[in-house]
Amino acid sequence: MSDRIQLLPDNIANQIAAGEVIQRPASAVKELLENAIDAGATDIKLIVADAGKSLVQVTDNGSGMSETDARMSFERHATSKIARIDDLFRIRTMGFRGEALASIAAVAQVELKSRRAEDEAGTYIEIENSLVTKQEPIAFPVGTSIAMKNVFFNVPARRNFLKSNAVEMRHIVDEFTRVAMSFPGISFSLTANGQEIFRLGSSSLKQRIVHLLGSSYASKLVNVQEQTDYLNIYGFTGKPDTAKKTRGDQYFFVNNRFIRSAYLNHAVMNAYQQMIPADSYPMYALFIDLDPAQIDINVHPTKQEIKFEDEKIIYAFVQAAIKHALAQFSIMPTLDFDLDPSIQKLDAVEKPFTENQKIHTAASSLYNTFTQKNQAHLIESKSDLKHWKDFFPVTEKGRDSGSSLETEKLEYEQTGLITGYRKDGESKLRLLEDAEMLQVHAAYIVAATNQDFILVHQQAAHERILYERYADAIRDKPVAIQRSLFPLTLSLSTQDAILLQELLPDLKLLGYEIELFGKDAFIIQGTPGDVEQGNEKMAIEQILEQYKNFSNEVKFSKREKLIRSIAWQHAVKPGRYLTQKEMKALVADLFACTQPNITASGNATYIAFKKDYIERMFGKI
Ligand code: ADP
Ligand code: MG
């Protein structure tokens, strides 16, 4: 037999290596923005075209590069940021691996312009397929501009793998948001297809957060600030009413680097216990600063996952800091009706303010801002729940008896509105299949039945459907696995890794093919068809996190917890617009369930509006 091993040609090796760092246009956005920050820029402009597919360009007013450095910067392992292995433990810059520009040059056409303050002329360089095709002096202001054009033009398989412009643009905005949030002192702008999407002047962290995430947060941020010799934490966490059903606005930064950490997220969620429903996510933007020697950032090619020397301390610290911050501002919120009605059942909301709490609150300066007009919060009377009365129709009797939610719920049922809590009377419900359905607030579906109409909670309904489907899958019909083109690696905290290992056999029946790959690391070989490519890691992290939320529920088996977690994770979330076809399929699937009226955890999946009740409301009976 002849020998078969060959060395890969450089350009192929580079392209393969590039795949780790540059997965999509947004990866280049992150790397180029970080380089600009490392170069000491105070003003950074990001321009994209065609969701970054044809152009990602970052222009900065930083240090600039000499002619030689400009050329060198595209070599693999070319970096000015570390020289010795020890430097790895002192990293204060965003980059250090010297891979980003080499990777970009391997998979795209690149134009670089740069000038240092001490140089007369700047440098212009064009690169394609890792080769310099043009170099000449140019006139250029101090700083650097790097443009990545036609990403993956030479790797069609990857080019085809890119998502729609909407999806790729969302990734770009996510990366931009993370970087801009961690450096509020730097001015940033983002222009897409000639239209300016963000222009952020140098500002405070709070202003930056509000500019990036929306003014609705302006009055809803609670300051977090704790310092110790070992580490500092600062930033903002949302008042409980910022909790949403999707986990969008949650940011952790360690030494100014955005990281994902299911473990630390769990610490925050724990601090909110009792204040928000179990499956909702408060906003937070938290910055942890500690000695770089205490962390290993080098565990992941895009540096979004890090290892802490002592994770438990950080967990406890984060949790304590959030609890402390929330305790100072524990004021009963005026509820947003977007929130799940189950929030009303929580102690923190239902129980009236104690005398002690009131005294404490009144003493805080925050009290005064809240009691002023037009603020998000108002503390006027014993109960802030009176708005619920506007929402729920209340009979005369109800008005006299105060605002106890328990009574309201009773009346609510007596009046003829039937929620999924009550099983009786519903079995006769039939959908009118030809009638159009209507989606409201991208969260509810109005559907006609033989007894008038029902209001379906899209997420709860989907959760019920999936719950039954997965229960079947575990029993005897495994879910089909969609194998990934590029298997992904996933590294987890030790605790999570142990947990995931335990769950692997059952996960396989549910469509997740995951293999152990060294200590605390896994390879994701495949996921069920309904997990979007690119979201695999997040899906698994969310499942683990949700699973952990159930960890106190001793009455459930491991499988039961897993099925519930995955049903929750895969269910369509509020905010997703559904087509007629999707709505009809969803509601029909719900009614085909063995128990359509509630989710596994007992929340209603729909509310039925009965004919006589509606007539009564209009004074017709
Ligand atoms: P790393 O950031 O890990 O060092 P990169 O491939 O991102 O590696 O960049 C390589 C080198 O090019 C950097 O170390 C830096 O010296 C230089 N460089 C890259 N971008 C800029 C910039 N915008 N301004 C000045 N120097 C830059
Ligand atoms: Mg870099």
Side-chain angles (χ1 to χ4, degrees), residues 31 35 81 95 100:
E31 296 296 339
N35 279 348
K81 298 167 196 171

Side-chain angles (χ1 to χ4, degrees), residues 8-23 31 68-82 96-108 110 127 129-132 152 154-155 158 301-303:
L8 288 173
D10 269 359
N11 63 332
I12 298 187
N14 276 344
Q15 280 177 9
I16 293 173
E20 291 252 296
V21 184
I22 304 300
Q23 292 162 347
E31 296 296 339
T68 319
D69 281 352
R71 211 160 158 146
M72 267 290 281
S73 65
F74 291 97
E75 296 293 327
R76 187 157 300 280
H77 310 305
T79 179
S80 54
K81 298 167 196 171
I82 58 173
F96 59 86
R97 295 160 64 116
E99 283 181 329
L101 293 187
S103 299
I104 292 173
V107 296
V110 180
I127 297 192
N129 256 333
S130 303
L131 296 173
V132 176
F152 300 138
N154 52 355
V155 201
R158 301 219 73 158
T302 63
K303 308 183 212 95

Side-chain angles (χ1 to χ4, degrees), residues 199-475:
R199 180 201 288 267
L200 309 166
S202 166
S203 67
S204 70
L205 174 61
K206 186 173 182 180
Q207 283 170 326
R208 179 60 58 91
I209 291 173
V210 169
H211 285 150
L212 284 166
L213 303 183
S215 51
S216 63
Y217 283 124
S219 58
K220 298 192 172 181
L221 300 178
V222 175
N223 193 24
V224 178
Q225 175 96 51
E226 304 283 342
Q227 298 198 342
T228 68
D229 290 343
Y230 182 64
L231 76 164
N232 297 333
I233 182 169
Y234 65 93
F236 293 90
T237 199
K239 291 178 187 159
D241 60 343
T242 62
K244 292 185 189 162
K245 287 293 195 172
T246 52
R247 135 219 302 270
D249 297 331
Q250 302 191 325
Y251 300 86
F252 260 116
F253 301 88
V254 172
N255 292 352
N256 266 357
R257 185 187 302 281
F258 172 81
I259 59 147
R260 296 174 189 281
S261 168
Y263 186 63
L264 292 188
N265 178 61
H266 194 259
V268 179
M269 298 305 285
N270 241 329
Y272 274 90
Q273 239 176 27
Q274 300 296 316
M275 286 190 231
I276 55 171
D279 55 351
S280 68
Y281 303 95
M283 173 276 169
Y284 61 78
L286 298 171
F287 292 77
I288 297 172
D289 281 352
L290 76 175
D291 180 349
Q294 297 293 330
I295 50 178
D296 184 358
I297 335 169
N298 205 13
V299 294
H300 189 264
T302 63
K303 308 183 212 95
Q304 282 199 359
E305 288 158 23
I306 63 172
K307 269 200 167 46
F308 294 101
E309 190 69 16
D310 192 340
E311 230 176 16
K312 285 209 186 91
I313 294 186
I314 311 227
Y315 185 101
F317 189 72
V318 167
Q319 188 179 359
I322 302 293
K323 274 195 175 155
H324 186 199
L326 289 173
Q328 279 181 302
F329 300 104
S330 86
I331 294 166
M332 212 160 22
T334 308
L335 293 175
D336 269 338
F337 295 120
D338 295 344
L339 289 178
D340 192 310
S342 66
I343 201 171
Q344 68 182 284
K345 286 180 284 182
L346 297 171
D347 268 6
V349 175
E350 197 173 25
K351 299 238 173 82
F353 234 23
T354 64
E355 244 3 85
N356 253 345
Q357 280 172 309
K358 259 196 292 184
I359 292 163
H360 182 81
T361 312
S364 82
S365 62
L366 209 76
Y367 173 80
N368 299 316
T369 58
F370 282 168
T371 45
Q372 275 148 27
K373 274 224 170 67
N374 302 324
Q375 296 288 332
H377 293 69
L378 275 173
I379 310 170
E380 285 177 336
S381 64
K382 239 192 357 230
S383 170
D384 256 349
L385 292 170
K386 55 175 179 281
H387 293 292
W388 282 96
K389 285 192 198 156
D390 305 335
F391 188 56
F392 291 113
V394 178
T395 59
E396 278 317 306
K397 188 177 112 258
R399 273 201 192 96
D400 297 334
S401 65
S403 63
S404 147
L405 282 165
E406 214 35 54
T407 4
E408 286 191 2
K409 200 175 131 217
L410 250 178
E411 288 154 4
Y412 172 54
E413 288 181 0
Q414 280 162 3
T415 48
L417 282 168
I418 296 180
T419 71
Y421 293 108
R422 290 180 21 155
K423 270 210 81 182
D424 50 333
E426 288 171 349
S427 47
K428 285 165 260 141
L429 266 187
R430 260 190 315 102
L431 279 180
L432 297 186
E433 263 141 35
D434 293 333
E436 290 271 297
M437 294 185 182
L438 173 71
Q439 195 186 22
V440 187
H441 290 316
Y444 305 98
I445 300 166
V446 183
T449 69
N450 57 334
Q451 305 172 359
D452 284 299
F453 70 92
I454 56 172
L455 188 62
V456 179
H457 191 285
Q458 71 186 39
Q459 179 184 359
H462 199 206
E463 235 179 285
R464 159 54 63 183
I465 296 163
L466 294 174
Y467 174 81
E468 295 198 0
R469 193 176 298 160
Y470 296 151
D472 280 353
I474 287 250
R475 239 176 285 120

